[in-house]
Amino acid sequence: MAKPKLFVFSAPSGAGKTTIVKDILKSFPDFKFSVSATTRKKRPGEIDGVDYIFITEDEFKRKIENNEFVEWEKFYDYYYGTLKKTIDENLSNGYTTIFEVDVKGALNIKKVYPDAVLIFIVPPSIDELKERLKKRNTETDEDLRKRLERAQMELSYKDKFDYVVENINLEDAKEKVKKIIEKEIS
Ligand code: 5GP
């Protein structure tokens, strides 16, 4: 059996990362998604244990104290973190694992797992990002403002990634990501 790999995706929210990650999981059915824990509220359509493990702030803090996270971050007043257990289970079962985390989380995963492949998805522009987030209509105005501010910060990290893929056209971006993965696993 080939050695399982870790592919870590980051991008400012609204850059199309979730759509690309879902497409990759469809194209590579043997891959597993690393389900993060979060304290943010569930969006319509999200499933507990599938999209995120939705927990309270108290539970999250307990897990921090128990050293259960490989990495965690707090932003937009919410906590997000990757559980060690999730990675260990996937790797010991031989599953290549896909992560969707923020830029700092990605770099922290790489510190612990130096072979992890980091892929950054770039949105066409901040204006376009704003439009996409508005269309998604899942955030309050205040959350939207914070997400756009954060997007600027995240973009400044892109050169630290192994691959940078521009999402100007979604289909092209999906194809580029698939090629990267095929190259890395071959
Ligand atoms: P959203 O609330 O839109 O689902 O996610 C907000 C941000 O949190 C995104 O940039 C997403 O990639 C990031 N994120 C999700 N899970 C994790 C995690 O486990 N660790 C870190 N560091 N960021 C995460």
Side-chain angles (χ1 to χ4, degrees), residues 9-21:
F9 288 84
S10 287
S13 75
K17 167 187 52 171
T18 305
T19 314
I20 291 173
V21 164

Side-chain angles (χ1 to χ4, degrees), residues 17 36 40 43 52 71 73 75 80-82 101-102 147:
K17 167 187 52 171
S36 298
R40 89 146 158 73
R43 289 190 191 126
Y52 281 106
E71 61 78 34
E73 296 287 334
F75 32 85
Y80 295 80
T82 307
V101 299
D102 87 304
R147 278 171 190 263

Side-chain angles (χ1 to χ4, degrees), residues 42-60:
K42 222 193 274 178
R43 289 190 191 126
E46 284 183 331
I47 301 169
D48 190 20
V50 174
D51 298 289
Y52 281 106
I53 300 163
F54 294 96
I55 58 177
T56 63
E57 201 168 309
D58 281 350
E59 281 177 272
F60 201 103

Side-chain angles (χ1 to χ4, degrees), residues 157-181:
Y157 276 76
K158 74 176 190 326
D159 296 340
K160 298 189 191 302
F161 280 63
D162 299 308
Y163 296 94
V164 176
V165 175
E166 280 193 35
N167 181 11
I168 295 171
N169 172 292
L170 186 60
E171 290 312 310
D172 289 349
K174 282 178 183 172
E175 272 315 302
K176 279 189 191 140
V177 170
K178 259 184 231 164
K179 291 228 168 76
I180 291 169
I181 292 185

Side-chain angles (χ1 to χ4, degrees), residues 21-153:
V21 164
K22 286 204 166 129
D23 185 68
I24 292 303
L25 289 164
K26 233 191 252 164
S27 303
F28 300 90
D30 294 342
F31 290 5
K32 292 277 178 212
F33 179 63
S34 165
V35 183
S36 298
T38 186
T39 60
R40 89 146 158 73
K41 282 177 203 70
K42 222 193 274 178
R43 289 190 191 126
E46 284 183 331
I47 301 169
D48 190 20
V50 174
D51 298 289
Y52 281 106
I53 300 163
F54 294 96
I55 58 177
T56 63
E57 201 168 309
D58 281 350
E59 281 177 272
F60 201 103
K61 286 183 177 158
R62 213 174 309 129
K63 287 185 189 299
I64 295 174
E65 271 164 30
N66 292 341
N67 205 17
E68 290 181 46
F69 290 108
V70 175
E71 61 78 34
W72 63 269
E73 296 287 334
K74 186 184 182 201
F75 32 85
Y76 329 124
D77 303 327
Y78 306 120
Y79 290 85
Y80 295 80
T82 307
L83 292 159
K84 281 183 190 162
K85 194 170 144 241
T86 309
I87 302 191
D88 290 347
E89 275 175 11
N90 283 350
L91 289 182
S92 60
N93 286 317
Y95 291 124
T96 285
T97 304
I98 303 283
F99 299 77
E100 196 190 314
V101 299
D102 87 304
V103 288
K104 290 182 185 159
L107 298 175
N108 284 332
I109 290 172
K110 184 110 174 169
K111 270 189 211 149
V112 183
Y113 300 96
D115 290 343
V117 178
L118 307 191
I119 303 171
F120 192 92
I121 310 290
V122 187
S125 69
I126 290 288
D127 282 347
E128 174 76 13
L129 200 64
K130 199 170 175 178
E131 282 312 305
R132 288 188 194 179
L133 282 173
K134 273 193 183 157
K135 251 192 235 157
R136 192 164 84 182
N137 202 21
T138 53
E139 269 74 38
T140 61
D141 283 353
E142 177 61 7
D143 267 353
L144 192 86
R145 192 188 57 75
K146 285 188 193 162
R147 278 171 190 263
L148 287 172
E149 219 174 77
R150 194 175 168 84
Q152 305 272 18
M153 182 284 283

